[in-house]
Amino acid sequence: MFQRHRRTRTIVRGLLASFAALAVAGPVRAAAPPSAPQLSDGKVKIAILTDMSSVYADSTGRGSVIAAEMAVKDFGGTLGGQPIEVVSADHQNKPDIGSNIARQWYDREGVDVILDVPTSSVALAVQQIAREKGKMLIVSGGGTSDLTGPACSPTGLHWTYDTYALSHVSGHAAVKQGLDTWAFITADYAFGHALERDGAAEVKRSGGKVLSTVRAPFATADFSSFLIQAQGSGAKLIAFANAGGDTVNAIKQAHEFGIVQGGQKLLALLINIDDVHSLGIEVAQGLLLTTAFYWDRDDATRAFAKRFKEIYGLIPTMHQAGVYSAVGHYLKAVQAAGTDDALKVVAKMREMPVEDMFAHGGRVREDGRMVHDMYLMQVKTPKESTGEWDLYKLIATVPGDEAFRPLAEGNCPLVKATGN
């Protein structure tokens, strides 16, 4: 009995001592939640620099802004309790205007990352500014493969497609089908030149020949003289190394000239689903093309396209779907890195696989290229199509490592510096 009381008094004294110690130390606190990312100005600011008024407006433009806003909403709208803001501007397809907007955004308006940037000459100019200022650029609309080649940047990423992938997938397939003599009609600026260069190289590599090249000014209304020259070359295939409204006009006029009826084939090295929709399936049927995204590929792409169309009225292009993917991956990387510092975010984006409705198992290489599957498509015939936007049939899925230029062949100084 005595020993039991003594043990009880000992326990009580121990508890009292513990309470006293806690009183001196202060109240018990719950474990702290994970720290919020350290944001340089208290928020994340995403900017869409795009074409709002010219030949790429439907393929990028307001639709790219909507895609970015959808990605922000799907992420949750905030990052670590801090706001995520999306702003946009029209670069009018002019490098000087795009450069001025980029400088203002980076220097005075607290923009953390610029995205989209159709028109390769604008993308190249903005990439140089972003490199100088240590800020991020993620290109979805611009196509030149030089962005991850000689002009590569530690803070620049190329997300959706490039001229090498378009040319490699389409060119190889066409030559294999026996279309081994080509005539190019090329947009006379950086993107067109790169597309023609990469396309011609692929034709020759696959055993074909280039018989004719002609360059047309940007936003050309009348392609008749260029089409006559290409037609007169006797090439089995006429390839359009242009985009947007230029491609649409060229294919329409080729149809009016009866070029396909005369036995020559047409290939659009870059054409978006809005362009094919604009042309109409009667005109575009049978056209081969390469794309990074098709809305009817699987359940996830169909669900995204449905939401997008409810807002925008059109099915998303690959550029717009690429913006959605890039914004989502960027925000995940900022969260994982715990900072919006550009170099640390890029490192985290390289470390994390890209897994979303746009890309499965995508990855960001040292040169800034996001590598993912590409798709060879053919425009359906009117009999094959079951609806307004049922425009493509899948010919082949090309794995990213085959579709995009090998890392060692791009002449990116960053790759040389790392010895890869």
Side-chain angles (χ1 to χ4, degrees), residues 282-412:
E282 288 281 354
V283 173
Q285 60 181 305
L287 191 71
L288 280 172
L289 60 105
T290 298
T291 185
F293 173 85
Y294 182 50
W295 72 273
D296 201 20
R297 190 181 75 219
D298 56 36
D299 288 344
T301 57
R302 284 187 284 271
F304 172 76
K306 181 181 178 181
R307 291 169 54 210
F308 183 91
K309 188 172 183 290
E310 286 172 353
I311 301 169
Y312 189 53
L314 298 172
I315 289 293
T317 66
M318 69 172 174
H319 308 306
Q320 294 155 349
V323 168
Y324 175 89
S325 171
V327 169
H329 196 68
Y330 169 79
L331 292 173
K332 292 173 188 175
V334 173
Q335 185 176 58
T339 178
D340 58 0
D341 177 84
L343 289 174
K344 293 178 180 177
V345 173
V346 169
K348 189 60 67 173
M349 292 180 78
R350 289 187 180 130
E351 178 184 316
M352 300 165 58
V354 181
E355 192 65 42
D356 53 30
M357 66 85 201
F358 176 80
H360 299 300
R363 60 186 176 87
V364 179
R365 296 191 314 204
E366 299 96 307
D367 59 354
R369 175 69 258 165
M370 201 278 270
V371 177
H372 54 85
D373 292 349
M374 295 288 287
Y375 306 96
L376 180 66
M377 300 282 189
Q378 187 171 36
V379 178
K380 290 182 174 182
T381 65
K383 289 183 179 180
E384 292 172 324
S385 177
T386 60
E388 180 184 8
W389 292 97
D390 180 28
L391 298 174
Y392 297 170
K393 57 183 176 184
L394 178 66
I395 303 300
T397 298
V398 182
D401 287 334
E402 295 179 20
F404 289 97
R405 180 178 58 206
L407 184 63
E409 295 179 11
N411 297 317
C412 169

Side-chain angles (χ1 to χ4, degrees), residues 31-342:
S35 58
Q38 298 299 306
L39 305 179
S40 54
D41 53 1
K43 64 182 176 183
V44 173
K45 195 166 187 178
I46 295 167
I48 307 300
L49 185 59
T50 191
D51 177 3
M52 294 285 194
S53 55
S54 188
V55 294
Y56 308 132
D58 288 341
S59 299
T60 59
R62 176 61 186 154
S64 292
V65 180
I66 289 168
E69 292 170 342
M70 289 174 66
V72 169
K73 182 178 179 181
D74 289 349
F75 184 78
T78 62
L79 187 58
Q82 303 301 312
I84 302 170
E85 183 180 353
V86 177
V87 298
S88 62
D90 183 358
H91 60 42
Q92 300 175 44
N93 297 305
K94 297 178 181 178
D96 57 339
I97 292 176
S99 297
N100 289 336
I101 293 169
R103 286 194 184 94
Q104 180 173 324
W105 274 345
Y106 287 143
D107 289 343
R108 296 195 291 275
E109 298 186 20
V111 163
D112 296 294
V113 58
I114 294 175
L115 294 104
D116 201 18
V117 203
T119 308
S120 292
S121 57
V122 182
L124 289 165
V126 174
Q127 177 134 301
Q128 177 63 27
I129 293 167
R131 179 194 293 110
E132 293 169 359
K133 298 183 179 298
K135 294 285 191 175
M136 280 196 66
L137 171 70
I138 308 177
V139 176
S140 181
T144 177
S145 58
D146 289 349
L147 286 164
T148 55
C152 67
S153 165
T155 57
L157 305 181
H158 204 179
W159 206 258
T160 302
Y161 76 107
D162 62 29
T163 53
Y164 181 96
L166 296 178
S167 301
H168 179 67
V169 175
S170 292
H172 184 68
V175 173
K176 279 184 66 177
Q177 290 185 359
L179 303 172
D180 54 2
T181 54
W182 286 43
F184 281 94
I185 296 178
T186 302
D188 194 11
Y189 66 101
F191 165 76
H193 298 172
L195 194 55
E196 178 195 302
R197 177 198 68 203
D198 292 343
E202 182 57 40
V203 170
K204 293 171 185 175
R205 188 162 46 238
S206 299
K209 294 181 180 180
V210 176
L211 302 183
S212 169
T213 60
V214 59
R215 292 182 172 175
F218 175 71
T220 296
D222 183 2
F223 279 87
S224 57
S225 63
F226 309 117
L227 287 165
I228 290 169
Q229 182 172 328
Q231 188 178 31
S233 72
K236 295 177 184 176
L237 183 144
I238 298 174
F240 299 107
N242 50 16
D246 284 346
T247 305
V248 170
N249 287 335
I251 292 174
K252 279 182 178 178
Q253 290 171 35
H255 180 73
E256 292 166 2
F257 280 24
I259 287 177
V260 173
Q261 293 88 330
Q264 289 173 300
K265 300 291 185 182
L266 303 180
L267 172 69
L269 285 167
L270 173 59
I271 192 166
N272 278 289
I273 194 164
D274 62 296
D275 301 322
V276 174
H277 185 261
S278 173
L279 282 166
I281 202 165
E282 288 281 354
V283 173
Q285 60 181 305
L287 191 71
L288 280 172
L289 60 105
T290 298
T291 185
F293 173 85
Y294 182 50
W295 72 273
D296 201 20
R297 190 181 75 219
D298 56 36
D299 288 344
T301 57
R302 284 187 284 271
F304 172 76
K306 181 181 178 181
R307 291 169 54 210
F308 183 91
K309 188 172 183 290
E310 286 172 353
I311 301 169
Y312 189 53
L314 298 172
I315 289 293
T317 66
M318 69 172 174
H319 308 306
Q320 294 155 349
V323 168
Y324 175 89
S325 171
V327 169
H329 196 68
Y330 169 79
L331 292 173
K332 292 173 188 175
V334 173
Q335 185 176 58
T339 178
D340 58 0
D341 177 84

